[in-house]
Amino acid sequence: MSIEFLEAVIFDGLFAAVAAIGFSVISNPPRKAIYVSALLAAVGHGLRFFLMKNTSLDIGMASFFAAFSIGLFSIFFAKIIRCPAEVFSFPSLLPMIPGMYAYKTVLSLVKFMEHANDDTSTAIMVDIFRNGITTVFILFALVIGAAIPMFIFYKQSFMMTRLLK
Amino acid sequence: MTDKPDVHDLLNFLLDYATTLMGVGVHTSRIVRNTSRIASRFGYETDITMFQKTIIMSIRNNESPRVYSSVKRTKVLALNFRINSNLSALSWRTYDEQLPLSRITELYNEIMAEKNMSRWWVLFLVCCANAAFCRLFMGDVWAMCIVFVATLVGFFVRQEMMRRHINHHFVFVASSFIASLIGSSAIYISACTTPQIALATSVLYLIPGVPLINSIIDIIEGHVLVGFTRFVNACMLIICIAVGLSSTLLLIGIDSL
């Protein structure tokens, strides 16, 4: 692993952290949770970047593993700062939302409407489906990946906010 | 138990508590657990029917055959994780410290009265976030600047319209249209090598991520009806974003992309 690659992973995580802070403040979290979601987003997005560049995993599977690790860490941090785990696991998933694929889906839908009678519409159809299906798969991978740890530690996930142990 | 409160007071409080949790975006099984936990401290059992708009609740105890029921409309509140976290903690405190109802109500009101982060801070952080998001999609510096401005205007418009209680869907269409229109200016700046990314990212601050995740968790846990309602609501908002974005695409001419 070269230095440049390591640098790229770290930068990726850094920008993901900034993004997570911004997206988490929309939903008014407790102050401590903001820092944790920034950290988790950096870890998750960095991991996804690493997996996509270094292994043969596609973006969907890489997202799944990244979301799974975010879910595990969030259970761990929830125990420490006594917050429900979803308070920081949800915002830290948001930087992984497949925005470009979603945009390309909309773009090709609009194109499809404009070129209704052309031969190009078959190619556009493929675009719509490829981008649309990728978007949906990544979204589901993110949600289910983050939810599985919550179900593994089902009992505990409701006891995070208990002060008495 | 000597400190038994009036059953109607308790029922009203529990409904108030549950509808608040529903309003601030808590997934259903947590609402059920928290509410039942508070009720169990007073020796009552609860059965809750939950819909997106209303909550129906019955409480009873073993000492008498009487069942008390009531319905309450869900409050319309913004997403709020602080209230979620603090109210969950309150339910455990009630259970562990055996607090009386008057004290619980007091604590509840305290939690509800706490101030949120200033809206200008939120605006600034969301702009930074969206600009950073643009970088994650490999946008260049110009694209990041344009996304920052687009988010600034779009999110401000959204905040102002939300404050005036304009229809939710219209707010989403309008702010996504405005943000993407500003984002599309990247096409006319020759220094910007990634105009498409600027255009795509400019609307992403609107994505209803938390409701979407909540809905899937609800469905997995078996609260399919509530989960599906939330899912449909979230999808409606996403469609609104797409409508705003495609208006821009049609306006600037699709062939330039």
Side-chain angles (χ1 to χ4, degrees):
Chain A
M1 204 168 16
S2 66
I3 298 291
E4 284 98 51
F5 181 70
L6 210 64
E7 215 177 77
V9 172
I10 288 170
F11 263 102
D12 196 76
L14 215 61
F15 281 108
V18 176
I21 290 174
F23 291 135
S24 72
V25 294
I26 296 181
S27 42
N28 297 311
R31 184 137 307 182
K32 272 185 279 180
I34 299 176
Y35 306 121
V36 178
S37 49
L39 176 68
L40 290 189
V43 171
H45 208 283
L47 179 66
R48 182 172 89 162
F49 188 79
F50 176 80
L51 286 178
M52 275 165 63
K53 297 281 151 134
N54 265 29
T55 59
S56 59
L57 291 176
D58 63 305
I59 187 164
M61 281 313 280
S63 303
F64 176 81
F65 286 116
F68 185 73
S69 65
I70 284 181
L72 279 181
F73 276 119
S74 72
I75 298 272
F76 172 73
F77 278 107
K79 267 231 148 78
I80 295 176
I81 69 168
R82 302 192 193 290
C83 259
E86 64 260 29
V87 169
F88 26 77
S89 68
F90 290 2
S92 46
L93 291 179
L94 295 183
M96 285 195 276
I97 279 187
M100 273 322 272
Y101 290 104
Y103 162 78
K104 279 181 191 155
T105 314
V106 175
L107 182 69
S108 29
L109 276 170
V110 175
K111 268 188 189 161
F112 186 73
M113 296 296 285
E114 292 223 319
H115 304 267
N117 304 318
D118 267 337
D119 303 332
T120 49
S121 44
T122 344
I124 296 173
M125 280 282 260
V126 174
D127 267 1
I128 294 174
F129 275 90
R130 175 163 298 139
N131 290 310
I133 289 171
T134 317
T135 311
V136 172
F137 265 89
I138 296 174
L139 278 179
F140 273 92
L142 288 178
V143 177
I144 292 168
I148 287 175
M150 275 177 69
F151 291 117
I152 297 175
F153 300 98
Y154 195 69
K155 258 268 175 62
Q156 285 94 320
S157 75
F158 290 102
M159 309 218 344
M160 295 308 176
T161 51
R162 191 178 194 175
L163 294 172
L164 222 75
K165 289 280 159 172
Chain B
M1 265 191 240
T2 49
D3 57 344
K4 209 153 230 175
D6 181 44
V7 67
H8 295 289
D9 286 348
L10 179 64
L11 183 57
N12 277 338
F13 173 75
L14 289 178
L15 270 174
D16 211 32
Y17 181 86
T19 48
T20 307
L21 284 184
M22 194 73 183
V24 299
V26 182
H27 60 97
T28 310
S29 58
R30 188 181 289 285
I31 302 179
V32 173
R33 279 182 177 242
N34 285 354
T35 315
S36 319
R37 192 178 300 135
I38 295 183
S40 73
R41 176 256 173 271
F42 298 105
Y44 284 96
E45 270 177 49
T46 47
D47 290 299
I48 306 173
T49 308
M50 216 146 344
F51 297 106
Q52 179 74 19
K53 288 275 187 187
T54 49
I55 293 179
I56 308 167
M57 196 186 290
S58 305
I59 61 174
R60 79 177 96 78
N61 65 7
N62 303 331
E63 291 154 25
S64 80
R66 281 231 163 111
V67 180
Y68 299 87
S69 301
S70 187
V71 190
K72 195 173 162 100
R73 225 179 316 142
T74 306
K75 292 172 194 163
V76 183
L77 296 168
L79 272 181
N80 197 320
F81 276 144
R82 181 179 51 75
I83 292 180
N84 169 359
S85 170
N86 289 348
L87 287 185
S88 302
L90 176 65
S91 75
W92 274 115
R93 243 187 104 182
T94 308
Y95 184 79
D96 289 334
E97 297 175 19
Q98 298 283 305
L99 300 173
L101 185 61
S102 55
R103 179 84 184 114
I104 304 170
T105 319
E106 209 174 283
L107 287 170
Y108 170 81
N109 289 334
E110 256 172 47
I111 291 169
M112 296 304 290
E114 250 179 78
K115 276 227 164 71
N116 290 328
M117 196 182 243
S118 115
R119 57 180 287 221
W120 303 112
W121 258 112
V122 174
L123 180 63
F124 174 71
L125 286 175
V126 170
C127 293
C128 291
N130 223 11
F133 205 18
C134 179
R135 172 62 176 60
L136 286 180
F137 292 125
M138 308 297 162
D140 61 5
V141 181
W142 281 99
M144 281 171 76
C145 294
I146 286 164
V147 168
F148 189 91
V149 177
T151 313
L152 190 73
V153 179
F155 199 75
F156 180 73
V157 168
R158 186 188 136 167
Q159 280 180 332
E160 285 299 309
M161 285 168 110
M162 288 291 209
R163 231 167 41 145
R164 290 177 173 73
H165 299 288
I166 296 172
N167 179 296
H168 214 61
H169 297 122
F170 178 73
V171 173
F172 269 67
V173 173
S175 44
S176 114
F177 175 65
I178 292 170
S180 57
L181 200 61
I182 297 172
S184 71
S185 67
I187 297 165
Y188 307 106
I189 295 176
S190 50
C192 177
T193 50
T194 52
Q196 295 244 30
I197 292 172
L199 184 51
T201 335
S202 58
V203 295
L204 287 182
Y205 66 94
L206 286 166
I207 296 271
V210 177
L212 207 59
I213 302 173
N214 268 331
S215 72
I216 309 262
I217 288 183
D218 274 355
I219 293 172
I220 295 174
E221 284 180 336
H223 297 281
V224 179
L225 203 56
V226 186
F228 209 75
T229 325
R230 289 185 191 204
F231 186 71
V232 171
N233 278 340
C235 286
M236 284 288 284
L237 293 181
I238 292 176
I239 291 170
C240 287
I241 299 171
V243 168
L245 178 62
S246 36
S247 319
T248 301
L249 292 179
L250 288 172
L251 204 65
I252 59 172
I254 204 86
D255 295 321
S256 59
L257 293 172

